[in-house]
Amino acid sequence: MSRFVLLKSLLGPLLKLLFRPRVEGADHIPGEGPVILAGNHVTFIDSMILPLVTGRRVYFIGKNEYVTGRSLKGRLMAWFFTGVGMIPVDRDGGRGGVAALMTGCRVLEEGKCFGIYPEGTRSPDGRLYRGRTGVARLALMTGAPVVPFAMIGTDRIQPGGAGLPRVGPGLRVTVRFGRPLDFSRYEGMDRDRYVLRAVTDEVMAEVMRLSGQEYVDMYATKAKAVASADAAPTVTRMAPCGSAHRPAAEESTATARAA
């Protein structure tokens, strides 16, 4: 028995008991062949729930930190995420995006199911942000259809993406899949930035329709940077004793990194 089958058989019933997930449109996922699942990302447990409610094993890119922990919790996380299909990639630096793209292409060329969050990071406030064009590149380079999906209610179970998930009678998760999107009409145009943007926007429009989220035409990473800068404290620097200059207030801002 594979680790994925074991995890699904053990955690699937527990997941249903705790979060009572409602899955809609799962029949839109092709039973075989390459397919891209592209959806919103509102909290950490999205990546735990998605692989356990689909009929196929979903491969996706994850941070190296998820599999390098030495503590008991870190080892359990590594065992779970690699078991359900996470492929650890170092996404820091200029080569991170290229490595993720090439990994996705390899998975799809092997006829597998690849999951991606086009926003590139978790939403900072529950709204849907502008998609990055990696999803379009994957679709046009491999010819794989894109099945949009929406995670609904996970942000209420785990607000802010931190801490243990909450359970209760009023808390429930819905995973909604849309019809496959075919972009074969753009074959050979994976280097055209206007085509890449058009394809990405079409995917995000479907995700918005499925999730009901408010759309923000800004990258989530930029929104996080703006929020971090606004929250940074103001530091007052006093002029040296004896100086003829008055004290000057200088605002200190923190440089935000994408999650």
Side-chain angles (χ1 to χ4, degrees):
M1 180 183 294
S2 70
R3 200 187 332 168
F4 173 69
V5 174
L6 177 62
L7 282 167
K8 195 162 186 177
S9 62
L10 291 177
L11 297 183
L14 180 61
L15 176 73
K16 292 179 180 179
L17 177 65
L18 294 177
F19 306 133
R20 299 175 298 142
R22 179 189 295 113
V23 183
E24 301 176 2
D27 56 318
H28 292 317
I29 304 174
E32 58 183 21
V35 61
I36 301 169
L37 303 185
N40 61 338
H41 193 16
V42 290
T43 194
F44 177 78
I45 61 171
D46 294 338
S47 298
M48 300 178 69
I49 292 176
L50 180 65
L52 298 176
V53 299
T54 56
R56 297 179 60 179
R57 185 174 184 179
V58 182
Y59 293 85
F60 56 98
I61 299 298
K63 297 180 182 179
N64 262 344
E65 301 93 281
Y66 292 162
V67 298
T68 56
R70 298 296 183 184
S71 64
L72 177 60
K73 177 183 176 182
R75 291 178 180 179
L76 287 173
M77 285 180 60
W79 185 79
F80 173 82
F81 279 118
T82 56
V84 296
M86 192 199 88
I87 304 171
V89 171
D90 184 359
R91 298 189 301 179
D92 292 333
R95 295 186 177 182
V98 175
L101 183 65
M102 291 301 101
T103 300
C105 282
R106 175 175 57 79
V107 170
L108 292 167
E109 286 170 355
E110 292 173 356
K112 298 175 180 177
C113 180
F114 186 73
I116 186 172
Y117 301 117
E119 292 169 280
T121 186
R122 293 193 298 268
S123 169
D125 54 18
R127 296 185 293 178
L128 185 69
Y129 284 81
R130 196 179 197 211
R132 296 189 176 274
T133 57
V135 61
R137 290 182 185 275
L138 284 174
L140 300 189
M141 290 171 68
T142 65
V146 179
V147 173
F149 71 87
M151 307 293 296
I152 303 169
T154 53
D155 54 337
R156 295 183 59 208
I157 290 174
Q158 193 183 34
L164 293 174
R166 303 185 302 174
V167 295
L171 300 175
R172 188 170 189 177
V173 173
T174 297
V175 186
R176 186 174 294 151
F177 296 96
R179 295 183 181 277
L181 302 175
D182 177 19
F183 297 108
S184 58
R185 62 189 182 278
Y186 296 122
E187 182 179 0
M189 304 178 71
D190 58 278
R191 293 183 180 274
D192 187 316
R193 62 190 182 96
Y194 296 105
V195 170
L196 293 174
R197 174 46 54 193
V199 169
T200 303
D201 288 347
E202 184 174 339
V203 172
M204 297 309 290
E206 280 300 296
V207 174
M208 180 179 66
R209 183 184 66 81
L210 293 168
S211 69
Q213 291 170 281
E214 177 186 348
Y215 180 76
V216 182
D217 193 20
M218 175 193 295
Y219 291 122
T221 49
K222 182 177 180 180
K224 288 183 178 182
V226 171
S228 179
D230 290 343
T234 299
V235 179
T236 302
R237 296 182 178 178
M238 302 300 295
C241 293
S243 171
H245 298 288
R246 295 179 180 178
E250 186 173 2
E251 183 176 327
S252 173
T253 60
T255 302
R257 296 180 59 192

